[in-house]
Amino acid sequence: MRFWGIVAVLGVVLAACSAPGAPVPTAAPTAAPPTLPLVTAAPASPLPTAAPSLPPTVPPAATPAAVRYTVQAGDTMLSLAVRFGVPMAAIQLANDLGESIDLYVGQVLLIPPAEAWEGASPFWTVHLVRRGETLSAIASACGVPLHRLLMVNHLSGVEPIHVGDAIILPLEALPTATPSPSTSTPSPASTVAPTPPPPSPAPEGWPSTLYRLINETRADNGLPPLRWNATLAAAAQAHAEDCAARGWGSHVGSDGADLLTRLRRAGYEGSGWAECWAQSLSPQDALEAWMDETPPDDPHRRTLLSTWLTEIGIGVAQADWGYFFIADFGR
């Protein structure tokens, strides 16, 4: 058993009336029978000779349409959310991205209209329900009131949730810094041999093991290795320990911090970032969980095989079951 993730909307009354009937004569009439009143008789007051004037018909307002946007160099999920006035969750849900905030140049995204997300923060993001999670636990972990989580997701709190359900996390925390969009064209990843990570206190040097396995997988797919970045590793290790302390994994910290916030706190100033996490028994098991995905529903696999991301840091922390493996990627 393993769990993993990558750092979610008449009646008509008819009144029939009848007049009382006239008495029936005892002998055959020699003239036409008396005329009975009809329910269609004209009312006592005369009808207007012309139909009353009606207010002009106002055509319904056109529903704003979603737009298609092609990702450019330097774009991030957050920068697009801010630019189009929608939360990151809106873009994730509209494009079936799950929890992924990883983008690549040339990717075509469907951007929903901002009118449908009025009042939402750009930092709202998607969380996929894990085994054993409850709505109250998710709300507590992301630092939002339970009633707020229920309202945003149009839930009453009594219906069951299932593994894989998309829950929108209504995060309001601002990052410590906003990435500066790059105008340069992404260049191929460096082919220089990566610097090995320092010795790790995790079991059996597992950050180094997972780092090696990821680069071997990239080599098998004709891709250059990712460089080790100590700042990314520090951020990944801190998040792994946070997940272990609270007992479940997510791309959101126990204080509500998303990936960008956590990376900025650690001092990382890259122009791109992504995250994979897994709760597994070994580095090999974590890698298989990420790579065992079928396109197009393969955000973790695409992250590991990205040509846009160039460096990585890995953290590992022991959990009640297995270990939390956090891989933070950057550029």
Side-chain angles (χ1 to χ4, degrees):
M1 179 182 297
R2 58 192 180 221
F3 314 102
W4 59 88
I6 178 155
V7 256
V9 203
L10 294 169
V12 177
V13 177
L14 298 178
C17 61
S18 61
V24 180
T26 57
T30 57
T35 301
L36 297 178
L38 300 176
V39 296
T40 56
S45 57
L47 289 175
T49 57
S53 60
L54 298 176
T57 301
V58 178
T63 302
V67 300
R68 293 189 177 275
Y69 176 78
T70 301
V71 175
Q72 307 297 313
D75 284 338
T76 67
M77 187 70 76
L78 178 58
S79 68
L80 293 182
V82 173
R83 175 177 176 180
F84 288 98
V86 298
M88 293 188 290
I91 303 175
Q92 292 170 307
L93 293 172
N95 296 276
D96 295 325
L97 298 178
E99 295 180 346
S100 175
I101 61 171
D102 184 28
L103 302 177
Y104 58 88
V105 174
Q107 180 180 9
V108 178
L109 295 175
L110 192 66
I111 310 294
E115 288 79 0
W117 294 88
E118 185 176 357
S121 162
F123 299 98
W124 288 14
T125 188
V126 168
H127 169 76
L128 299 182
V129 175
R130 268 72 175 180
R131 189 178 304 277
E133 286 185 339
T134 63
L135 289 171
S136 59
I138 294 173
S140 175
C142 69
V144 299
L146 177 59
H147 71 84
R148 174 71 168 159
L149 185 72
L150 296 176
M151 180 183 69
V152 166
N153 289 278
H154 305 289
L155 298 172
S156 66
V158 298
E159 60 268 76
I161 59 174
H162 307 90
V163 174
D165 283 353
I167 301 295
I168 299 174
L169 301 180
L171 304 178
E172 305 295 338
L174 295 176
T176 57
T178 302
S180 300
S182 171
T183 56
S184 60
T185 302
S187 57
S190 172
T191 56
V192 177
T195 303
S200 169
E204 305 175 19
W206 277 0
S208 300
T209 301
L210 182 54
Y211 174 64
R212 173 179 55 81
L213 291 172
I214 289 175
N215 275 334
E216 288 176 354
T217 300
R218 289 175 60 85
D220 291 341
N221 287 270
L223 298 172
L226 298 170
R227 296 186 300 271
W228 182 263
N229 183 288
T231 304
L232 288 174
Q237 184 62 39
H239 190 52
E241 294 172 0
D242 183 41
C243 290
R246 71 186 179 190
W248 59 280
S250 170
H251 291 297
V252 179
S254 58
D255 62 349
D258 60 8
L259 173 60
L260 175 58
T261 302
R262 292 186 278 106
L263 294 184
R264 293 301 190 236
R265 284 176 181 172
Y268 185 72
E269 295 295 336
S271 61
W273 49 85
E275 182 175 79
C276 294
W277 75 265
Q279 185 176 359
S280 303
L281 295 175
S282 70
Q284 182 68 43
D285 191 40
L287 178 69
E288 291 176 357
W290 293 330
M291 290 298 295
D292 188 20
E293 295 179 334
T294 304
D297 186 21
D298 60 339
H300 308 88
R301 182 177 181 276
R302 285 187 285 113
T303 297
L304 266 62
L305 302 181
S306 172
T307 58
W308 165 248
L309 301 165
T310 59
E311 48 195 2
I312 188 175
I314 296 172
V316 182
Q318 187 170 8
D320 291 338
W321 177 88
Y323 299 83
F324 282 104
F325 293 86
I326 308 294
D328 283 347
F329 301 79
R331 175 179 175 81

